[in-house]
Amino acid sequence: MDKQPIILENRPIIGISACCMGCPVRYNGRSFDMLKFLGREKGDFTWVPVCPECEAGLGVVRPPVHIAGEHGAAVWQGEATVRSRGGQDVTQQVMEGARAAEDVLRRAGAQAFIYLDGSPTCGVYRTTLRDQKRGKPPGVFGAILQERGWFLIPALDLQSPLKWWDWRRRLLAFIWLQDVPLQSKDDLFTVWYRLKFMCQELDDTWARTLGRELAALGQKPDPEIYETFRRQVSDQLRKPSTPARLKGSLLKQYANFRKKTGQTVPEIQAADVRRNVTTIARELTLMERASAATGHMIGTAPVLYSGKLPKPSRQKAERLLGEAIPEASEAAD
Ligand code: SF4
């Protein structure tokens, strides 16, 4: 098996609720700048801001809307409506706006969407920003994005370096998985070899069951298995990890990295040092950089983006690792 990390060359394209990118499109003409939390990493992505309520023609400023009935999915089924604060029925406009916004995302080639939770339109797990008992999640736009399998990231998680690190590494794996050829049993094994550690971290029981099912496949698997596998692993990659599991992965993968390459990363602390979530995120990023620099894949982030990563040159790798890299024949196996 090839043990190099997979490095995506194309800049990932991410859709975002326009009001989270500083566009003053909320009903009250305000916005949030959530991308500021990413610092320089913001430039590693192409952003596609959309506002379904503006696409609906509701304008800024406008009366806030709410779902009258169950939730956004029920709106699409004709069993709930969208109403403005004054009681006006704006259901058709908001549905049109949601369709138009999704068209924009598809035309741009976006592979994920960062949403403002708490919006009756873009929200996925909440549809009210304050504690108003109006409509349950998801929102009208959130419902179609969920149903159509978009990779959905809550904007609030951009504030946490560790949560963002987790979303980003799963997103890169998700993007790679959508296009990787899956036509043979060997293809399945190759892809699973890349992603299984991350999947085990996310849901160990599920991942071990899948591993056993793959091992039991006959020589000529049913052709349906390939897309089922892609869909199941994609669903898994949408689920967040936890700080405890991420810390466990960091320690395990760093131990493995040291054993396989014979190298250390000076800034990564000893296993018994107490770490806060910011430090865990920083050390995971250092692990990614060491992986790119040495060409040694780490299972906790097997797919990387070339944007700001050091290319695997000896000089850059030695600078990161703080010491000379031995020739391949000298490195521990
Ligand atoms: S519809 Fe979405 S993008 Fe537009 S203001 Fe509401 S949450 Fe923001």
Side-chain angles (χ1 to χ4, degrees):
M1 288 280 185
D2 180 2
K3 295 186 177 163
Q4 299 268 332
I6 299 145
I7 309 242
L8 301 181
E9 297 297 335
N10 294 329
R11 187 190 301 267
I13 303 170
I14 305 182
I16 181 167
S17 293
C19 60
C20 294
M21 201 178 164
C23 308
V25 292
R26 292 192 67 217
Y27 73 94
N28 55 9
R30 295 194 179 155
S31 65
F32 311 99
D33 179 9
M34 301 305 288
L35 295 188
K36 73 179 177 201
F37 296 107
L38 304 190
R40 284 189 302 172
E41 204 190 332
K42 179 177 163 181
D44 281 356
F45 303 91
T46 294
W47 303 98
V48 186
V50 294
C51 173
E53 290 182 21
C54 288
E55 295 287 344
L58 298 183
V60 181
V61 292
R62 58 184 176 272
V65 299
H66 65 271
I67 296 170
E70 273 291 291
H71 40 56
V75 171
W76 292 100
Q77 290 152 8
E79 292 166 3
T81 58
V82 185
R83 306 239 160 211
S84 71
R85 182 177 281 164
Q88 188 191 351
D89 185 337
V90 290
T91 310
Q92 288 308 315
Q93 291 100 306
V94 172
M95 287 166 70
E96 280 304 313
R99 284 194 197 98
E102 197 195 15
D103 280 353
V104 170
L105 297 181
R106 289 203 188 279
R107 272 202 301 281
Q111 292 131 318
F113 186 72
I114 295 180
Y115 61 90
L116 178 69
D117 225 4
S119 156
T121 306
C122 290
V124 172
Y125 298 109
R126 288 188 299 140
T127 48
T128 45
L129 281 175
R130 296 203 182 84
D131 191 24
Q132 304 164 9
K133 303 256 185 295
R134 285 176 155 180
K136 295 179 192 156
V140 178
F141 190 43
I144 55 169
L145 295 181
Q146 258 189 330
E147 187 196 317
R148 295 176 189 169
W150 282 81
F151 190 94
L152 298 173
I153 304 170
L156 284 177
D157 282 3
L158 272 54
Q159 297 175 96
S160 155
L162 188 57
K163 284 183 181 171
W164 170 245
W165 187 89
D166 179 36
W167 279 110
R168 178 171 51 75
R169 55 121 189 203
R170 288 183 287 110
L171 171 62
L172 295 179
F174 179 91
I175 290 172
W176 174 71
L177 179 60
Q178 302 319 297
D179 292 328
V180 71
L182 283 177
Q183 290 159 349
S184 68
K185 198 170 152 179
D186 280 353
D187 289 346
L188 287 177
F189 284 164
T190 304
V191 171
W192 186 237
Y193 169 77
R194 299 285 193 180
L195 301 181
K196 75 175 175 188
F197 182 85
M198 194 195 286
C199 288
Q200 282 169 357
E201 181 200 304
L202 297 169
D203 186 339
D204 191 52
T205 307
W206 172 86
R208 288 187 189 281
T209 304
L210 181 62
R212 281 196 294 277
E213 286 171 6
L214 292 177
L217 283 178
Q219 268 320 303
K220 286 200 173 170
D222 183 335
E224 284 186 9
I225 184 78
Y226 302 117
E227 290 316 308
T228 303
F229 171 87
R230 200 190 305 272
R231 194 180 59 251
Q232 287 182 346
V233 178
S234 297
D235 285 346
Q236 207 59 42
L237 293 175
R238 290 189 183 91
K239 297 178 188 164
S241 188
T242 63
R245 284 193 233 142
L246 287 163
K247 182 183 169 195
S249 287
L250 166 69
L251 299 180
K252 196 167 173 182
Q253 292 294 304
Y254 184 45
N256 183 267
F257 175 84
R258 289 200 311 268
K259 183 174 164 207
K260 297 287 183 189
T261 66
Q263 303 296 314
T264 57
V265 180
E267 291 177 70
I268 297 184
Q269 305 169 88
D272 55 359
V273 172
R274 284 173 68 94
R275 295 158 160 86
N276 61 25
V277 289
T278 306
T279 305
I280 297 169
R282 196 173 63 80
E283 293 187 356
L284 284 165
T285 304
L286 288 167
M287 273 301 304
E288 279 182 322
R289 295 174 71 82
S291 168
T294 59
H296 175 82
M297 184 185 88
I298 54 166
T300 196
V303 183
L304 307 172
Y305 168 59
S306 62
K308 300 255 183 340
L309 289 168
K311 298 288 180 286
S313 77
R314 173 171 293 270
Q315 197 187 18
K316 284 182 178 169
E318 288 180 347
R319 207 178 307 139
L320 178 73
L321 299 169
E323 61 182 282
I325 298 177
E327 294 301 331
S329 56
E330 299 171 41
D333 187 19

